[in-house]
Amino acid sequence: MVLVSRLASVSRPALGPAAAVFLAFAALMTAQAAEGIATFADRSRIVAIGGSITEIVYALGEQDRLVARDSTSRYPDAALKLPDVGYMRQLSPEGVLSVNPSGILALHGSGPKEAVDVLKKTSIPFIEVPERYDNQGILEKIHIVGKALGTEAKADALAAQTDAKLKAAEKQTASIKERKRILFVLSIQGGRLLAAGSDTAADGIIKLSGGINAIDGFAGYKQLSDEAVITARPDVILMMNNAGPVTADDELFSNPAVASTPAGAARTLIRMDGGYLLGFGPRTADAIHDLAVSLYGSQVAD
């Protein structure tokens, strides 16, 4: 769009009405074309937004293309040396654009919407990667990232390897008959538990690890009433490490509703690194295995 670039350097009053309309139309078409692309034309300066996206880029061996990452991208350790453009759900366009990216690779759910809309309207190509909390969702991520970076062959190999590991991990709990009920608690606010329902990463990892989500009445995350906690009857409470303020064990188990559940009575709590547990990326098969072993011990088949 050389013509657009040249027109942009001319003041709008000097352009005249017709040229000004053309400039606005051409700029809009440029933004729409950038948003709809599947492969970055210039892959030299990519910003990765979303921990699993960054992990996949590293797993593909394409980390030298990265110039920045978001604050959820904490694995591998080498990624921490990259500039941090902020939390993926609280992005500022200025922060992302400050690293002069040639492309933006963002996990679905990045936000706020207003910031993402601004980024999509720039001339910088923006590729959004869907998020699904199952095996196929992980493989889809790998293929989309690989295509975006022009490394389809590497992506095919990584996807095949990841698929085999995911299938093997699921088989490890296939023979377990008595499934445990798991309550994933994101936080405690004012004495009330913020818990995961369906259509969440927590729900996905619980099911893949051979457990049952103790909450099935809503989608997303929601504060539970004491009655809802007691009715859920969890055998295990699952929480994250390295994901914001930590709720102490005593605070959790002193909650009267929690204390009335099997998990509360036995003080059964599992904590795992948040990015590892809920990332849904190349390490998820290992996370499935580790959670399953924490739940079922020797019942998990090798």
Side-chain angles (χ1 to χ4, degrees):
M1 282 290 191
V2 177
L3 179 57
V4 174
S5 298
R6 289 175 179 169
L7 282 172
S9 67
V10 182
S11 66
R12 285 184 181 271
L15 287 173
V21 170
F22 170 76
L23 174 59
F25 175 75
L28 176 62
M29 293 305 294
T30 301
Q32 289 177 339
E35 185 180 343
I37 56 96
T39 304
F40 293 123
D42 181 353
R43 301 182 282 276
S44 63
R45 297 184 60 80
I46 304 302
V47 173
I49 299 173
S52 60
I53 303 302
T54 302
E55 285 193 32
I56 291 169
V57 174
Y58 273 86
L60 292 171
E62 299 295 320
Q63 60 271 18
D64 290 346
R65 302 185 186 277
L66 296 178
V67 293
R69 48 95 190 179
D70 80 303
S71 60
T72 70
S73 299
R74 304 187 58 81
Y75 182 89
D77 289 342
L80 297 176
K81 298 178 182 179
L82 292 168
D84 183 347
V85 298
Y87 177 49
M88 65 171 285
R89 302 190 193 282
Q90 296 176 350
L91 299 172
S92 73
E94 295 81 7
V96 176
L97 298 176
S98 68
V99 296
N100 190 29
S102 62
I104 301 167
L105 192 56
L107 187 63
H108 177 75
S110 298
K113 182 180 183 301
E114 295 78 10
V116 171
D117 286 345
V118 170
L119 292 171
K120 287 181 176 180
K121 289 176 182 177
T122 68
S123 60
I124 298 169
F126 187 106
I127 294 179
E128 189 171 63
V129 183
E131 176 82 298
R132 287 171 43 203
Y133 308 119
D134 57 23
N135 290 0
Q136 288 305 310
I138 296 171
L139 304 182
E140 182 182 22
K141 278 186 190 177
I142 292 171
H143 285 301
I144 291 174
V145 173
K147 185 172 182 61
L149 299 179
T151 56
E152 289 93 337
K154 286 184 178 181
D156 288 344
L158 178 60
Q161 178 186 42
T162 303
D163 187 34
K165 290 180 66 177
L166 288 167
K167 289 177 178 175
E170 282 196 89
K171 287 181 180 178
Q172 292 177 329
T173 59
S175 63
I176 294 174
K177 293 181 174 57
E178 293 187 11
R179 306 277 168 161
K180 293 190 176 181
R181 296 176 59 82
I182 304 169
L183 177 63
F184 180 88
V185 177
L186 186 63
S187 63
I188 298 179
Q189 302 172 359
R192 298 182 66 183
L193 277 60
L194 184 63
S198 60
D199 298 327
T200 60
D203 180 72
I205 200 70
I206 287 170
K207 291 175 179 176
L208 289 172
S209 303
I212 298 170
N213 189 350
I215 301 297
D216 59 6
F218 60 85
Y221 291 87
K222 182 178 178 181
Q223 280 193 330
L224 302 181
S225 66
D226 289 351
E227 182 182 1
V229 174
I230 295 169
T231 302
R233 297 178 293 104
D235 301 300
V236 176
I237 293 175
L238 178 62
M239 299 187 75
M240 294 188 293
N241 288 324
N242 304 321
V246 176
T247 299
D249 290 13
D250 287 343
E251 180 183 359
L252 173 69
F253 291 118
S254 64
N255 182 288
V258 172
S260 300
T261 68
R267 294 179 67 92
T268 307
L269 171 65
I270 297 172
R271 295 184 189 266
M272 293 178 65
D273 178 80
Y276 180 56
L277 179 67
L278 305 183
F280 280 80
R283 297 185 295 159
T284 295
D286 296 327
I288 291 170
H289 170 78
D290 290 352
L291 179 54
V293 169
S294 296
L295 291 171
Y296 301 112
S298 61
Q299 296 183 67
V300 176
D302 293 329

